[in-house]
Amino acid sequence: MANFKGHALPGSFFLIFGLWWSVKYPLKYFHQKGLKKNRLSQQQQRIEIIEGAVKTVFAIIGILAEQFVPDGPHLHLYHENQWTKLMNWQHSTMYLFFGISGIIDMLTYLYSNIVPLGLDRLILAMAVFSEGFLFYFHVHNRPPLDQHIHSLLLFGLFGGSISISLEVIFRDNIVLELFRTSVLILQGTWFWQIGFVLFPPFGTPEWDQQDMDNIMFITMCFCWHYLVALCIMGINYSLVYCFLTRVKRHAGGEVIGIQKLTSDHTYQSALLSGSDEE
Amino acid sequence: MANFKGHALPGSFFLIFGLWWSVKYPLKYFHQKGLKKNRLSQQQQRIEIIEGAVKTVFAIIGILAEQFVPDGPHLHLYHENQWTKLMNWQHSTMYLFFGISGIIDMLTYLYSNIVPLGLDRLILAMAVFSEGFLFYFHVHNRPPLDQHIHSLLLFGLFGGSISISLEVIFRDNIVLELFRTSVLILQGTWFWQIGFVLFPPFGTPEWDQQDMDNIMFITMCFCWHYLVALCIMGINYSLVYCFLTRVKRHAGGEVIGIQKLTSDHTYQSALLSGSDEE
Amino acid sequence: MANFKGHALPGSFFLIFGLWWSVKYPLKYFHQKGLKKNRLSQQQQRIEIIEGAVKTVFAIIGILAEQFVPDGPHLHLYHENQWTKLMNWQHSTMYLFFGISGIIDMLTYLYSNIVPLGLDRLILAMAVFSEGFLFYFHVHNRPPLDQHIHSLLLFGLFGGSISISLEVIFRDNIVLELFRTSVLILQGTWFWQIGFVLFPPFGTPEWDQQDMDNIMFITMCFCWHYLVALCIMGINYSLVYCFLTRVKRHAGGEVIGIQKLTSDHTYQSALLSGSDEE
Amino acid sequence: MANFKGHALPGSFFLIFGLWWSVKYPLKYFHQKGLKKNRLSQQQQRIEIIEGAVKTVFAIIGILAEQFVPDGPHLHLYHENQWTKLMNWQHSTMYLFFGISGIIDMLTYLYSNIVPLGLDRLILAMAVFSEGFLFYFHVHNRPPLDQHIHSLLLFGLFGGSISISLEVIFRDNIVLELFRTSVLILQGTWFWQIGFVLFPPFGTPEWDQQDMDNIMFITMCFCWHYLVALCIMGINYSLVYCFLTRVKRHAGGEVIGIQKLTSDHTYQSALLSGSDEE
């Protein structure tokens, strides 16, 4: 992972999921407001299962990339009296946790009468926590800027982990879901930022990793990324609302939140077009 | 911001809002007790929107002040291979977060059927957290007293941030609202204190920034500021109660909390006079 | 406070309150179970007000003791260009917070229709937090054992502060109340322990303040104090139960928790005798 | 405890309990879903009491082992002007807390109308916290790997302690119970891991306690242990479900979660066979 691509890959994964969530949760919110019920429709269930599957696939891609890049460990853990490429193994472990979270997501919605609701959130919280946990112990002995830029991520990770844990108890709280989404987008864009700062891809000059000013700028930059994440969410939120209102009008319905949506089909098509828009 | 005025400005902003809240929340509390309902009256909604607008204006003033003071960066971020006035940029970022919080406040009450309730609290919590976050990384390499006096603020900021986050779930809890108010007043007066200690304005002698005794005193002083904040809140709380009882009596009504207020107009006038009193 | 008496005084205050609570909360719990209601009887209210008054008196005694001991500051804060006896001032501040908490307790129960329920808990949590806050910044530059024995207290203080804050939302939860009681007793006995360790009163030999073994023992000893606090609470809890059952039987009533207590008078006499037993 | 057996003993205790819980809580969950009620059946109560008794017995075994091993303190605390074997005393204290937790467990279910529900959870949380507390202050001045491998345990302990405290308020939440179970299994297997790393039992070569790579591997290994704990729980969960479905079919009943179990006897036999399976 110690190169630009190694940061761009997880960054993209997180970004894709973050963008998807910034469309999905507003959709779900307006849909539930319209229908005045809390039960998951069959359609929603199917989408959740697909989401879990995509998460698992992303995790597997990540693990394979970490293990089988030319200078990767190729599944060797201990070789000639020393550990082989522990960095790659740590990254694989991180992906593995997200993979398991994906599997549990699928199980929760496939066998919702067997697997208790909330377990999916707990495992996701643990996956995010483990990522933070491994990052925390893995930035020692590096130049100050490298250490700082990675440790900023911890704020997002531990904050996200706490918020997701809360969802075990306060499930389907739209504000917690939007917070989770914003933290995820932040994580995605920040991985790209790390890649650009530590491994400038287009021949741009290297950053001075000892300079205090660079560290100060990066701290502030982290806040800006969060603001960008908020903006993206705000835009997607409004787009979803406009889209649903227009769908409504075409279907001869009324303003959302006042009367129930005419059919599940509307929601389904909304979700599908919503995901096409990305 | 590294002068007396730079601390007096945010201090005044926080103080004005803190004093306003110490009047507003008791008013709202007594009003709701009288009416035995939770819904926001149209009047309350209008006040919340004005509050959000004022917050946004304050933030814009702050940003402009930080950017366009004579030795400010004038919106230049990177100049001749080095970052320009990062301190001012960091302060601008802090103001920016509060500005966005103000905008979200307005949106929450303007479009309350679209924007989920609780989002305003989340964004405010994030704004307060970001302020603490930037402060935390920005006091290194300074004299001990300077470092200490700024880091005391973090207790207020992170405590406030946690308490505001709780309001996402336990909304309209008067105790949480009063706590938030007290922390805000504390922040306001503390900014003034920082200004007086680090940049004595009236030619008073400089404080010895290495002296342990000064640090011990400042720590205790922070507690005193909180006690003052509690007193201010107590006084305003009683004034609001007395005022409402008198208004009641004139209107021929009964003791508050037992019978409903005669008209929304009473509340409106109460709020307006309340804000005039400051 | 830097002597045996200075630690014995607050220790006794905390102990007296802890012991009283370990009788009061079981009494209240059994009483409420018997009556199946949540409202405060007038009797209970009177007891809470007396408790608040005693708390305030204790705080005033503490402040006076800290200010007017022979080597105290006698209310002088700044004298001949240096701070006077800042230690005593810090301790006075701690007492002051508890005094204000006592006043708020009284107000909450005297004017329960004006002062919002839960404010008493918030102020108490802030008082306990401030004690921890001041302690935290006040043990630097001392021998290791002194520093360690004081900082152990912080676990109790911050733990207690969090638990009391939770009572703002989960009021009248007997488990939280018992936890608070146990932490208070712990604090009381620990102040005595500090006195005995740092200022051996009966001519016993001094403790070696650099010895790692002493520090290890003190850490374990802190746990033992907590166990003792739990035992005291267990004994008082059982005594209260036995006492109430006997009172019941004499009054011709039935087993507690199944039928309601015959009269408020029973509870009142139970409370009064309960407090006599200490 | 500073040998392989000293770590294997508590590890086994924690593992046995963890495995038992990973069977018990799914059983309880499916049972409650079937019966649609929250009250504890008499059978369940009996099992809880036995569990408390076993916990107490384990704690007594632990204390006796720590005190009366050949090089133990044999109940002498202070001897010839120095503390005797403080390590063993600290471990005894840890066991003692769990013993008291066991006693409270028994009391809670024996006298459920006297002892408030939730006290058992609070005491368990305090026992786990105390273990972490003593560990935290007891790894100073050791080689880096020793220090690191012990401090990783703290994540499990403090995480577990917070989660158990939450159960005071959100009792019988299956997700919190499963999380507690997973942390307990993790603790059990990790104690064995510590034994294998620090005191290799079968003549395997010693680990280099200064090597950074070993520390990195151990950090990742901790995550793997958690994954193993999740897998064990997943397997036991599925086994319990399959077992209950089969029992149901034999008894002529319907799918679990839809119709109530035919008799308490089914649950009893399920529990008994469940514990036999280990």
Side-chain angles (χ1 to χ4, degrees), chain B residues 109-126:
Chain B
Y109 290 99
L110 273 175
Y111 305 106
S112 56
N113 63 329
I114 301 174
V115 181
L117 221 68
L119 198 67
D120 51 342
R121 296 292 190 269
L122 179 76
I123 304 292
L124 183 57
M126 289 313 294

CSV table of all heavy atoms in Angstrom, one decimal, chain B residues 109-126:
chain,number,residue,atom,x,y,z
B,109,TYR,N,-35.4,24.8,10.0
B,109,TYR,CA,-36.7,25.4,10.4
B,109,TYR,C,-37.5,25.9,9.2
B,109,TYR,O,-38.8,26.0,9.3
B,109,TYR,CB,-36.5,26.5,11.5
B,109,TYR,CG,-36.1,25.9,12.7
B,109,TYR,CD1,-34.7,25.9,13.1
B,109,TYR,CD2,-37.0,25.3,13.6
B,109,TYR,CE1,-34.3,25.3,14.3
B,109,TYR,CE2,-36.6,24.7,14.8
B,109,TYR,CZ,-35.2,24.7,15.1
B,109,TYR,OH,-34.8,24.1,16.3
B,110,LEU,N,-36.8,26.3,8.1
B,110,LEU,CA,-37.6,26.7,6.9
B,110,LEU,C,-38.3,25.6,6.2
B,110,LEU,O,-39.4,25.6,5.9
B,110,LEU,CB,-36.6,27.4,5.9
B,110,LEU,CG,-36.4,28.9,6.1
B,110,LEU,CD1,-35.3,29.4,5.1
B,110,LEU,CD2,-37.7,29.7,5.9
B,111,TYR,N,-37.5,24.5,6.1
B,111,TYR,CA,-38.0,23.3,5.4
B,111,TYR,C,-38.1,22.1,6.3
B,111,TYR,O,-37.5,21.1,6.1
B,111,TYR,CB,-37.2,23.0,4.2
B,111,TYR,CG,-37.0,24.1,3.2
B,111,TYR,CD1,-35.8,24.8,3.2
B,111,TYR,CD2,-38.0,24.5,2.4
B,111,TYR,CE1,-35.6,25.9,2.3
B,111,TYR,CE2,-37.8,25.6,1.5
B,111,TYR,CZ,-36.6,26.3,1.5
B,111,TYR,OH,-36.5,27.3,0.7
B,112,SER,N,-38.9,22.3,7.4
B,112,SER,CA,-38.8,21.3,8.4
B,112,SER,C,-39.4,19.9,8.0
B,112,SER,O,-39.2,18.9,8.6
B,112,SER,CB,-39.5,21.7,9.7
B,112,SER,OG,-40.8,22.1,9.4
B,113,ASN,N,-40.1,19.9,6.9
B,113,ASN,CA,-40.6,18.6,6.4
B,113,ASN,C,-39.7,17.9,5.5
B,113,ASN,O,-39.9,16.8,5.1
B,113,ASN,CB,-42.0,18.8,5.7
B,113,ASN,CG,-41.9,19.6,4.5
B,113,ASN,OD1,-41.1,20.5,4.5
B,113,ASN,ND2,-42.8,19.4,3.5
B,114,ILE,N,-38.6,18.6,5.1
B,114,ILE,CA,-37.6,18.0,4.2
B,114,ILE,C,-36.3,17.7,5.0
B,114,ILE,O,-35.8,16.6,5.0
B,114,ILE,CB,-37.2,19.0,3.0
B,114,ILE,CG1,-38.5,19.3,2.2
B,114,ILE,CG2,-36.2,18.4,2.2
B,114,ILE,CD1,-38.3,20.3,1.2
B,115,VAL,N,-35.8,18.7,5.7
B,115,VAL,CA,-34.6,18.5,6.5
B,115,VAL,C,-34.9,17.8,7.8
B,115,VAL,O,-35.8,18.3,8.5
B,115,VAL,CB,-33.9,19.8,6.7
B,115,VAL,CG1,-32.6,19.6,7.5
B,115,VAL,CG2,-33.6,20.6,5.4
B,116,PRO,N,-34.3,16.7,8.1
B,116,PRO,CA,-34.6,16.0,9.3
B,116,PRO,C,-34.2,16.8,10.5
B,116,PRO,O,-33.1,17.3,10.6
B,116,PRO,CB,-33.9,14.7,9.2
B,116,PRO,CG,-32.8,14.9,8.3
B,116,PRO,CD,-33.2,16.0,7.3
B,117,LEU,N,-35.1,16.8,11.5
B,117,LEU,CA,-34.9,17.4,12.8
B,117,LEU,C,-33.7,16.7,13.5
B,117,LEU,O,-33.6,15.5,13.5
B,117,LEU,CB,-36.1,17.3,13.7
B,117,LEU,CG,-36.5,18.5,14.5
B,117,LEU,CD1,-37.0,19.6,13.6
B,117,LEU,CD2,-37.6,18.2,15.5
B,118,GLY,N,-32.8,17.5,14.0
B,118,GLY,CA,-31.6,16.9,14.7
B,118,GLY,C,-30.4,17.2,13.9
B,118,GLY,O,-29.3,17.1,14.4
B,119,LEU,N,-30.5,17.4,12.6
B,119,LEU,CA,-29.4,17.7,11.7
B,119,LEU,C,-28.7,19.0,12.2
B,119,LEU,O,-27.5,19.1,12.2
B,119,LEU,CB,-29.8,17.8,10.3
B,119,LEU,CG,-28.7,17.7,9.3
B,119,LEU,CD1,-28.1,16.3,9.3
B,119,LEU,CD2,-29.2,18.0,7.8
B,120,ASP,N,-29.5,20.0,12.6
B,120,ASP,CA,-29.0,21.2,13.0
B,120,ASP,C,-28.1,21.0,14.2
B,120,ASP,O,-27.0,21.6,14.3
B,120,ASP,CB,-30.1,22.2,13.4
B,120,ASP,CG,-31.1,21.7,14.3
B,120,ASP,OD1,-31.2,20.4,14.4
B,120,ASP,OD2,-31.9,22.4,14.9
B,121,ARG,N,-28.5,20.1,15.2
B,121,ARG,CA,-27.7,19.9,16.3
B,121,ARG,C,-26.4,19.1,15.9
B,121,ARG,O,-25.3,19.5,16.5
B,121,ARG,CB,-28.4,19.0,17.3
B,121,ARG,CG,-29.6,19.6,17.9
B,121,ARG,CD,-29.3,20.8,18.8
B,121,ARG,NE,-30.5,21.2,19.5
B,121,ARG,CZ,-31.4,22.1,19.1
B,121,ARG,NH1,-31.1,22.7,18.0
B,121,ARG,NH2,-32.4,22.4,19.8
B,122,LEU,N,-26.5,18.2,15.0
B,122,LEU,CA,-25.3,17.5,14.6
B,122,LEU,C,-24.3,18.4,14.0
B,122,LEU,O,-23.1,18.3,14.3
B,122,LEU,CB,-25.7,16.4,13.6
B,122,LEU,CG,-24.5,15.6,13.0
B,122,LEU,CD1,-24.1,14.6,14.1
B,122,LEU,CD2,-24.9,14.9,11.7
B,123,ILE,N,-24.7,19.3,13.1
B,123,ILE,CA,-23.8,20.2,12.5
B,123,ILE,C,-23.2,21.2,13.5
B,123,ILE,O,-22.0,21.5,13.4
B,123,ILE,CB,-24.4,21.0,11.3
B,123,ILE,CG1,-25.1,20.0,10.3
B,123,ILE,CG2,-23.5,21.9,10.6
B,123,ILE,CD1,-24.1,19.2,9.5
B,124,LEU,N,-24.0,21.6,14.5
B,124,LEU,CA,-23.4,22.5,15.5
B,124,LEU,C,-22.4,21.7,16.3
B,124,LEU,O,-21.3,22.3,16.6
B,124,LEU,CB,-24.6,23.0,16.4
B,124,LEU,CG,-24.2,24.0,17.5
B,124,LEU,CD1,-23.5,25.2,16.9
B,124,LEU,CD2,-25.4,24.4,18.3
B,125,ALA,N,-22.7,20.5,16.7
B,125,ALA,CA,-21.7,19.7,17.4
B,125,ALA,C,-20.4,19.5,16.6
B,125,ALA,O,-19.3,19.6,17.2
B,125,ALA,CB,-22.3,18.3,17.7
B,126,MET,N,-20.5,19.3,15.3
B,126,MET,CA,-19.4,19.2,14.5
B,126,MET,C,-18.6,20.5,14.4
B,126,MET,O,-17.4,20.5,14.4
B,126,MET,CB,-19.7,18.8,13.0
B,126,MET,CG,-20.2,17.4,12.9
B,126,MET,SD,-19.2,16.2,13.7
B,126,MET,CE,-17.7,16.3,12.8
